[in-house]
Amino acid sequence: MTTPSTFELYAYWRTSATYRVRVALNLKGLTAHERIVDIDAGEQRDENFLKINPLGAIPALVESGHAPLTQSLAILEFLDEYQPAPPLLPQDLHGRARVRSIAAMLAADTHPLITGRVKKYLTTAAGMDDTAWRAWQIQWFGTGLAALEQRLAAEPQTGVFCHGDTPTMADICLASIVEMVRIFKITIPDIPTIDRIMEACDTHPAFIAAKPSRQAGAPA
């Protein structure tokens, strides 16, 4: 295993996907030198960064001597294998599938609908104004979280966290979406199970340290 000091994380203070990687690094006790990619200034389209991720998206995790890793869920899986303790996935087959399913509901089905790339297209090519864009955000944040609430409230595997009583990849993805909801000052009603789980995340040191408001470049 290489030393954690060889990691570089291409990041930005407020992105949901970068937040996920920060939480995972914190849970694992790993560190990464951050290289800020200002997506508000369009730095993700710089030719040098496109050599790292041709999609022009962050985060990217780079380990010395290896190809860059992109896509937050793949990075979380990598970190879980790189540093197995504490685990981000349960030990049992069905538990791992459940956690991955919840994570995908959030990171693959909900988050992509409210990214900057989507906003840029909808507000230019599709002609959405700010009011329509906010309605779009509320619609898809609300749809995703309501569906997850239904699962978490009904399934017996739900504990203090999404799966049992220790944080997993599912909680990292849940918190990453809720943090964006907070940044955009959106209120999603009738999600008591999610609200309870978020209370546990909000008091966990790994999640606190990863909060967007605590990162370099965040508004004072």
Side-chain angles (χ1 to χ4, degrees), residues 5 36 42 54 58 69 83 91 99 102 115 123 140 162 176 182 202:
S5 62
I36 303 304
I58 57 173
L69 298 173
Q83 175 61 273
Q91 296 301 306
V99 166
I102 292 171
T115 61
T123 56
W140 296 117
C162 290
S176 75
R182 292 168 175 173
D202 285 338

Side-chain angles (χ1 to χ4, degrees), residues 82-169:
Y82 179 93
Q83 175 61 273
L88 300 181
L89 291 167
Q91 296 301 306
D92 64 292
L93 176 66
H94 291 89
R96 289 195 299 276
R98 179 175 184 265
V99 166
R100 287 185 173 115
S101 173
I102 292 171
M105 286 178 68
L106 296 157
D109 290 336
T110 301
H111 176 227
L113 293 167
I114 51 81
T115 61
R117 296 192 301 275
V118 170
K119 179 182 181 181
K120 182 177 181 180
Y121 179 83
L122 292 176
T123 56
T124 53
M128 269 192 180
D129 60 16
D130 289 343
T131 299
W133 169 246
R134 183 166 179 82
W136 174 278
Q137 290 178 301
I138 293 169
Q139 166 68 25
W140 296 117
F141 276 133
T143 298
L145 291 176
L148 180 59
E149 172 67 27
Q150 183 176 341
R151 282 194 62 179
L152 294 174
E155 294 174 354
Q157 298 93 337
T158 304
V160 173
F161 292 96
C162 290
H163 190 91
D165 296 334
T166 56
T168 66
M169 188 183 299

Side-chain angles (χ1 to χ4, degrees), residues 14-215:
R14 65 171 168 78
T15 72
S16 181
T18 304
Y19 170 88
R20 293 172 205 138
V21 176
R22 288 193 182 109
V23 174
L25 288 167
N26 294 340
L27 285 168
K28 298 291 188 179
L30 299 172
T31 59
H33 173 70
E34 291 202 8
R35 293 187 176 273
I36 303 304
V37 180
D38 187 342
I39 61 174
D40 292 330
E43 292 180 357
Q44 73 277 19
R45 305 308 306 173
D46 181 87
E47 64 176 317
N48 290 322
F49 182 69
L50 290 175
K51 293 176 183 176
I52 295 171
N53 185 0
L55 187 61
I58 57 173
L61 186 70
V62 179
E63 182 183 5
S64 179
H66 297 273
L69 298 173
T70 62
Q71 298 297 330
S72 63
L73 293 185
I75 295 172
L76 297 190
E77 295 258 9
F78 165 79
L79 291 174
D80 207 31
E81 294 182 23
Y82 179 93
Q83 175 61 273
L88 300 181
L89 291 167
Q91 296 301 306
D92 64 292
L93 176 66
H94 291 89
R96 289 195 299 276
R98 179 175 184 265
V99 166
R100 287 185 173 115
S101 173
I102 292 171
M105 286 178 68
L106 296 157
D109 290 336
T110 301
H111 176 227
L113 293 167
I114 51 81
T115 61
R117 296 192 301 275
V118 170
K119 179 182 181 181
K120 182 177 181 180
Y121 179 83
L122 292 176
T123 56
T124 53
M128 269 192 180
D129 60 16
D130 289 343
T131 299
W133 169 246
R134 183 166 179 82
W136 174 278
Q137 290 178 301
I138 293 169
Q139 166 68 25
W140 296 117
F141 276 133
T143 298
L145 291 176
L148 180 59
E149 172 67 27
Q150 183 176 341
R151 282 194 62 179
L152 294 174
E155 294 174 354
Q157 298 93 337
T158 304
V160 173
F161 292 96
C162 290
H163 190 91
D165 296 334
T166 56
T168 66
M169 188 183 299
D171 304 286
I172 293 174
C173 291
L174 172 59
S176 75
I177 295 298
V178 172
E179 288 291 351
M180 295 304 104
V181 169
R182 292 168 175 173
I183 287 173
F184 296 130
K185 296 180 169 54
I186 293 171
T187 300
I188 307 297
D190 303 322
I191 50 171
T193 312
I194 287 175
D195 289 340
R196 175 182 60 73
I197 291 169
M198 281 305 303
E199 289 179 5
C201 293
D202 285 338
T203 59
H204 194 293
F207 289 79
I208 293 172
K211 279 186 172 293
S213 60
R214 298 171 70 97
Q215 309 310 312

